């Protein structure tokens, strides 16, 4: 039995699947993995993405933060790919209990998934830091400079977890509970290097841990099934 058939059988036999995904889930939808620093970043920005997307940088240089953020993080025309769609279908069938994602693009919800735990927040939600007024992503994209609240004029911050900021404890607790109780845990499109999110794998108690990633990860040895293929391609075959 090959690896795809094994995965298919595990999914067919289970009604308690949890999916945990990273940037690789969305790259097939045309959303770049900003960790892959290329010449474009070096030409246009004086700082690496990890520096720009930090709490300190956001406070000190909001103009430069939003220049990068609007250019690289707001991919509002992106559409869900086969992985997003298949996961939504599995949830609809009652087999998938939760999607835990490090992504901030909202594509899982766009595909129809309902129980999505967003570890790092979402670009689709933005709030005034003074009055709490909600602003959508298009409002941020259309703003000419640092977005100001349409209600009170205060600064508007994306509801995303920047470097140096802590994860939402409620989301983290729900993620831990989902993984702890899962029969099958499928991890896809993540190199498992960003903590504390990567540490969630340690809460899995089952014997059907699946890692789907283009490259090997440091956790491959603890997985029960490793598939080194694009995640959309894998989900299109099951």
């Amino acid at each position: 039995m090959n690896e795809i058939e094994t995965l298919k059988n595990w999914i067919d036999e289970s009604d308690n699947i949890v999916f945990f995904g990273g940037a690789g889930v969305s790259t097939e939808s045309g959303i770049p993995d900003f960790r892959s620093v290329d010449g474009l970043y070096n030409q246009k920005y004086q700082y690496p993405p990890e520096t720009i997307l930090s709490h300190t940088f956001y406070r000190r240089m909001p103009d430069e933060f939003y220049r990068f953020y609007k250019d690289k993080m707001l991919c509002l025309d992106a559409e869900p790919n086969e992985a997003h769609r298949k996961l939504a279908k599995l949830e609809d069938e009652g087999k998938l209990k939760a999607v835990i994602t490090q992504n901030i693009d909202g594509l899982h919800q766009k595909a129809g998934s309902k129980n999505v735990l967003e570890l790092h927040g979402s670009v689709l939600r933005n709030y005034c830091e003074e009055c709490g007024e909600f602003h959508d992503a298009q409002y941020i994209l259309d703003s000419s400079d640092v977005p100001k609240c349409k209600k009170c004029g205060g600064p508007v911050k994306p509801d995303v977890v920047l470097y140096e900021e802590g994860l939402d404890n409620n989301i983290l607790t729900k993620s831990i509970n989902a993984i702890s109780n899962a029969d099958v845990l499928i991890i896809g499109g993540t190199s498992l290097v960003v903590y504390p999110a990567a540490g969630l794998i340690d809460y899995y108690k089952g014997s059907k841990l699946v890692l789907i990633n283009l490259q090997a990860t440091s956790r491959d040895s603890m997985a029960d099934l490793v598939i080194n293929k694009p995640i959309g391609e894998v989900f299109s075959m099951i």
Side-chain angles (χ1 to χ4, degrees):
M1 187 182 299
N2 68 30
E3 56 197 17
I4 300 298
E5 289 173 341
T6 299
L7 177 58
K8 188 176 186 303
N9 285 343
W10 287 359
I11 289 173
D12 288 344
E13 294 165 359
S14 177
D15 62 357
N16 190 356
I17 303 165
V18 169
F19 179 81
F20 173 46
V25 180
S26 291
T27 51
E28 290 174 63
S29 291
I31 295 180
D33 177 359
F34 70 83
R35 290 178 198 293
S36 305
V37 182
D38 55 27
L40 182 64
Y41 291 119
N42 296 329
Q43 292 163 24
K44 294 178 68 176
Y45 304 100
Q46 297 177 11
Y47 308 91
E50 285 83 354
T51 298
I52 298 174
L53 295 172
S54 69
H55 181 85
T56 298
F57 194 92
Y58 169 76
R59 290 293 179 214
R60 289 181 179 170
M61 302 180 69
D63 290 6
E64 187 69 4
F65 170 88
Y66 269 111
R67 187 166 80 93
F68 177 88
Y69 182 82
K70 288 191 272 191
D71 187 24
K72 291 294 177 186
M73 309 304 288
L74 291 181
C75 306
L76 304 186
D77 294 331
E79 292 295 330
N81 60 52
E82 190 62 32
H84 298 107
R85 291 191 290 269
K86 184 67 176 183
L87 289 165
K89 184 171 183 286
L90 289 173
E91 182 187 38
D92 193 50
E93 293 170 353
K95 302 179 78 61
L96 184 80
K97 300 308 181 190
V99 168
I100 302 165
T101 181
Q102 294 172 287
N103 296 335
I104 56 176
D105 49 48
L107 288 180
H108 285 293
Q109 292 93 328
K110 199 171 185 178
S113 290
K114 296 176 179 63
N115 190 21
V116 181
L117 299 169
E118 296 172 314
L119 292 171
H120 296 155
S122 173
V123 299
L124 304 182
R125 299 186 300 270
N126 307 272
Y127 298 97
C128 174
E129 294 194 83
E130 292 185 6
C131 76
E133 180 77 4
F134 171 83
H135 299 75
D136 64 20
Q138 194 63 50
Y139 183 85
I140 303 300
L141 196 60
D142 292 343
S143 61
S144 58
D145 201 351
V146 176
K148 299 296 183 187
C149 178
K150 56 194 172 190
K151 184 176 179 182
C152 77
V156 176
K157 184 179 183 294
D159 187 17
V160 299
V161 179
L162 301 175
Y163 288 98
E164 304 167 344
E165 294 180 341
L167 301 187
D168 183 302
N169 281 331
N170 184 43
I171 298 294
L172 206 51
T173 299
K174 288 181 178 178
S175 299
I176 289 169
N177 288 339
I179 288 173
S180 299
N181 294 311
D183 173 33
V184 178
L185 175 61
I186 303 173
I187 298 177
T190 174
S191 53
L192 293 171
V193 296
V194 178
Y195 282 81
L200 290 173
I201 188 174
D202 297 325
Y203 290 94
Y204 179 61
K205 304 185 184 82
S207 58
K208 294 175 182 175
L209 172 60
V210 184
L211 289 184
I212 306 171
N213 202 52
L214 280 175
Q215 284 85 36
T217 76
S218 61
R219 299 300 193 101
D220 284 7
S221 60
M222 67 182 291
D224 303 292
L225 181 64
V226 176
I227 303 176
N228 294 130
K229 289 184 172 70
I231 191 163
E233 179 184 320
V234 172
F235 275 106
S236 70
M237 294 187 284
I238 59 176

